[in-house]
Amino acid sequence: MKDLSSRPLHSFGVLQCYATLLVRPQSFIPAWRYIYTAATKFFLFQFLRKFRIIRTKIVHVDHELDDCIPFKPELLDIYLDFINFWLRPISMMQQKFGVRKGTEIANKFLFYITRTYSEAYNLYKKCMTTTNQPKTDCTGLKIMRIMDPHYLCVPSLHIAVVTLTISFYRQLFDQDLFSENEKKRWMQEIETHGIEIADSVLYLKQHSVNCIPAALYMMSRITPELVSPAEAVQFLDKLLQRELTIDAETHKKIIEHIQFIYERFLLEGTTEDDWRTPILRWLESYEPYQTN
């Protein structure tokens, strides 16, 4: 077992992950199950709706607070780093523990992320959601919008997976597998970059503030052993502070709104066996904010 505390997470390349996870017998099924789930229950599902092969209802979930968040296309690279964000720690584990041991731990994460996509799909197939997106001259953003029809906003999978990754590694680093320097360096990197990605979904207008609480609530219900309400609130408190483009009073209103909806879902969900029920009930009655 190597001490890699001198290396930042971004120094671990992800090509090794693709070269090992997709072909090794111990990870072949978990890795391809995730790819199949993401391809069919996220991408293909949206295009089936776009071309009207299916007719699932689409609800706009815009909120007036969205207008308080500036549009920042220059954050596209951060948004698109979403996959590498959770692959780099797997690459780190493969180099620290060896490919076999590192992959065994990676399989646990692959189980959770596949479940996250599947559970989100169980809500999406009942009701799709979208938001208004501003026009842009950014070529990369235009291409991304072609690849993503933008019908699966609630819950936000970006927020769900970022939260999952932070919580998963926080628990993993509590084990006596890492040095104190490794824990401190890598956990700080994961949290910081995770918040940057979470912020980018709002600055790029990929999601409304209303998409955030649904994602946190979903993770609190489907992975309570990882994402507790206290951890969700801690995550919320760090949102939208990096760019310093929102004044303190507005920032407070945004966070309080997200926390209010999150706690509403939690409270209503205590009497429901199906975690989706509070969100679907909210979507049924929600009147979206209309931009001028």
Side-chain angles (χ1 to χ4, degrees), residues 186-205:
W186 294 336
M187 195 65 243
Q188 182 177 4
E189 285 189 59
I190 290 172
E191 288 183 340
T192 299
H193 193 40
I195 294 297
E196 288 174 350
I197 293 172
D199 286 350
S200 73
V201 307
L202 294 171
Y203 283 120
L204 287 172
K205 305 299 179 177

Side-chain angles (χ1 to χ4, degrees), residues 166-175 225-227 231:
I166 292 172
S167 298
F168 180 87
Y169 284 100
R170 182 180 291 120
Q171 286 199 10
L172 183 65
F173 289 158
D174 280 342
Q175 302 178 29
E225 69 276 19
L226 291 177
V227 184
E231 288 172 320

Side-chain angles (χ1 to χ4, degrees), residues 107-119:
N107 284 344
K108 297 178 182 178
F109 184 84
L110 287 170
F111 165 79
Y112 277 117
I113 193 172
T114 302
R115 184 182 178 193
T116 299
Y117 273 75
S118 293
E119 290 285 352

Side-chain angles (χ1 to χ4, degrees), residues 58-74:
I58 300 175
V59 173
H60 276 257
V61 292
D62 303 276
H63 190 275
E64 61 182 320
L65 286 171
D66 297 329
D67 287 346
C68 300
I69 302 173
F71 180 47
K72 299 178 72 67
E74 63 269 24

Side-chain angles (χ1 to χ4, degrees), residues 91-137:
S91 177
M92 172 272 291
M93 291 189 296
Q94 289 181 336
Q95 294 188 45
K96 179 174 177 61
F97 302 115
V99 172
R100 177 178 291 275
K101 177 64 175 178
T103 301
E104 287 177 1
I105 301 174
N107 284 344
K108 297 178 182 178
F109 184 84
L110 287 170
F111 165 79
Y112 277 117
I113 193 172
T114 302
R115 184 182 178 193
T116 299
Y117 273 75
S118 293
E119 290 285 352
Y121 168 74
N122 286 336
L123 191 146
Y124 297 150
K125 65 184 181 181
K126 291 287 187 180
C127 181
M128 290 180 162
T129 42
T130 191
T131 60
N132 294 310
Q133 294 181 303
K135 294 181 180 180
T136 180
D137 294 325

Side-chain angles (χ1 to χ4, degrees), residues 7-73:
R7 292 186 58 181
L9 273 180
H10 65 74
S11 70
F12 294 94
V14 300
L15 290 180
Q16 176 176 310
C17 295
Y18 292 110
T20 56
L21 295 178
L22 298 177
V23 298
R24 289 182 64 87
Q26 68 187 120
S27 59
F28 181 87
I29 293 177
W32 282 103
R33 181 183 291 123
Y34 162 72
I35 291 174
Y36 172 80
T37 301
T40 59
K41 297 183 177 181
F42 184 81
F43 291 105
L44 176 61
F45 182 55
Q46 291 187 82
F47 280 100
L48 290 176
R49 181 62 179 85
K50 181 176 182 178
F51 296 121
R52 300 186 179 183
I53 297 172
I54 61 175
R55 300 287 181 141
T56 308
K57 179 176 65 174
I58 300 175
V59 173
H60 276 257
V61 292
D62 303 276
H63 190 275
E64 61 182 320
L65 286 171
D66 297 329
D67 287 346
C68 300
I69 302 173
F71 180 47
K72 299 178 72 67

